[in-house]
């Protein structure tokens, strides 16, 4: 089974530009979550999608957005890039189920290798 | 105060030693994850726990829900275990995932 694939692996952008990152989950996984990793802040949760709907969102400005397609692939977009957005962006997929009003977490998080974004 | 605290931050040990990394959290959780990240490498999930104890090879993870505490143990440590170990919890209240700052482990041959 193929793992989680993130593209591109590296990106260099200029302040003020926007960027789109892509994540293809493991086949059958409908949950995709995104994270930012920096030396100073460590790993931080950005948002999570399930069946094309955003389930929750971390404490990031509105410049950070995402979406999920019907095939579970997900993209995240950062507009008006700032120097502080330089980071490793990771996505993870997992199996999540629903039972009545509860969410069932059936599997660990499977991470992609990340996209390293440098903003100059 | 961070909602997920790990200790120690850094740990250097000799090959063969028994290693313990601790994680304390202050929120109600649906699940707790132990992750491993090698330098320049991706993140690998080691365990997902919601209760009790799990074992995989030389790795053991335990969780005490009442005390809001989890431990990751490595038996017979080896230089290839050198990595950053990260504890993460899924908050029961809002389903967000909260990470600890990580424990940098260095095993000397």
């Amino acid at each position: 089974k193929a793992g989680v694939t993130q593209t591109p692996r590296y990106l260099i952008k200029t302040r003020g530009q926007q960027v789109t990152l892509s994540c293809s989950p493991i086949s059958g996984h409908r949950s995709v979550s995104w994270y930012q990793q920096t030396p100073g802040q460590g790993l931080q949760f950005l948002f999570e999608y399930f069946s094309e709907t955003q389930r929750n969102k971390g404490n990031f400005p509105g410049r950070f957005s995402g979406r999920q397609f019907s095939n579970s692939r997900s993209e995240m977009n950062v507009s008006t890039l700032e120097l502080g957005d330089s980071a490793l962006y990771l996505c993870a997929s997992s199996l999540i189920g629903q039972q009545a009003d509860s969410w069932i977490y059936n599997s660990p998080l499977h991470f992609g290798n990340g996209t390293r974004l440098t903003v100059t | 105060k961070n909602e997920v605290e790990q200790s120690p931050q850094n740990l250097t040990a000799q090959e063969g030693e028994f290693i313990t990394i601790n994680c304390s959290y202050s929120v109600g959780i649906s699940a707790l994850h132990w992750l491993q990240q090698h330098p320049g490498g991706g993140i690998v999930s080691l365990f997902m726990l919601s209760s009790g104890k799990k074992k995989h090879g030389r790795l053991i993870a335990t969780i005490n829900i009442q005390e809001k505490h989890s431990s990751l143990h490595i038996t017979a440590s080896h230089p290839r275990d050198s990595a950053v170990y990260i504890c993460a919890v899924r908050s029961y209240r809002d389903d967000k995932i909260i990470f600890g700052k990580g424990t940098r482990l260095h095993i000397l041959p």
Side-chain angles (χ1 to χ4, degrees):
Chain A
K1 214 177 203 182
V4 177
T5 304
Q6 288 189 248
T7 56
R9 289 296 308 274
Y10 302 94
L11 263 180
I12 300 174
K13 290 284 187 180
T14 304
R15 266 184 306 176
Q17 288 186 314
Q18 74 160 13
V19 67
T20 299
L21 313 181
S22 179
C23 174
S24 293
I26 290 173
S27 178
H29 287 192
R30 292 159 67 191
S31 168
V32 174
S33 48
W34 288 89
Y35 308 90
Q36 182 195 66
Q37 187 175 36
T38 59
Q41 297 296 321
L43 273 162
Q44 294 183 276
F45 170 73
L46 278 159
F47 28 65
E48 181 176 25
Y49 286 86
F50 178 80
S51 291
E52 301 179 67
T53 301
Q54 187 179 89
R55 290 190 61 223
N56 40 37
K57 187 172 169 29
N59 299 326
F60 280 81
R63 301 185 296 107
F64 292 80
S65 63
R67 57 178 175 167
Q68 186 180 33
F69 302 95
S70 57
N71 61 358
S72 294
R73 190 178 71 85
S74 178
E75 289 181 348
M76 68 162 279
N77 184 276
V78 188
S79 63
T80 320
L81 284 165
E82 299 177 0
L83 294 178
D85 297 333
S86 295
L88 180 66
Y89 290 89
L90 293 149
C91 77
S93 73
S94 64
L95 282 169
I96 292 182
Q98 272 184 292
Q99 193 172 40
D101 292 332
S102 298
W103 292 94
I104 311 296
Y105 300 102
N106 298 320
S107 83
L109 299 167
H110 298 266
F111 285 84
N113 287 325
T115 294
R116 186 163 296 280
L117 172 65
T118 302
V119 182
T120 62
Chain B
K1 192 180 189 298
N2 293 328
E3 291 169 300
V4 179
E5 295 276 1
Q6 283 186 240
S7 63
Q9 281 186 286
N10 296 284
L11 178 57
T12 298
Q14 290 293 137
E15 182 174 356
E17 285 189 38
F18 181 82
I19 304 298
T20 295
I21 299 170
N22 296 299
C23 175
S24 296
Y25 52 91
S26 57
V27 297
I29 67 168
S30 305
L32 181 142
H33 300 265
W34 280 104
L35 310 170
Q36 181 193 55
Q37 186 173 33
H38 281 102
I43 294 177
V44 173
S45 177
L46 298 175
F47 296 102
M48 184 182 75
L49 295 161
S50 54
S51 64
K53 177 179 175 177
K54 286 190 177 180
K55 184 175 190 291
H56 185 255
R58 296 180 294 107
L59 301 178
I60 302 165
T62 64
I63 187 168
N64 185 318
I65 297 294
Q66 285 73 31
E67 294 188 4
K68 293 194 165 114
H69 182 269
S70 175
S71 293
L72 176 68
H73 304 287
I74 305 174
T75 62
S77 59
H78 190 276
R80 65 175 174 265
D81 297 326
S82 298
V84 176
Y85 292 84
I86 302 165
C87 172
V89 302
R90 185 180 285 274
S91 164
Y92 183 82
R93 179 174 56 89
D94 57 16
D95 263 346
K96 294 179 184 178
I97 296 178
I98 310 165
F99 294 88
K101 294 291 186 189
T103 294
R104 189 173 298 275
L105 175 65
H106 187 201
I107 304 297
L108 299 170

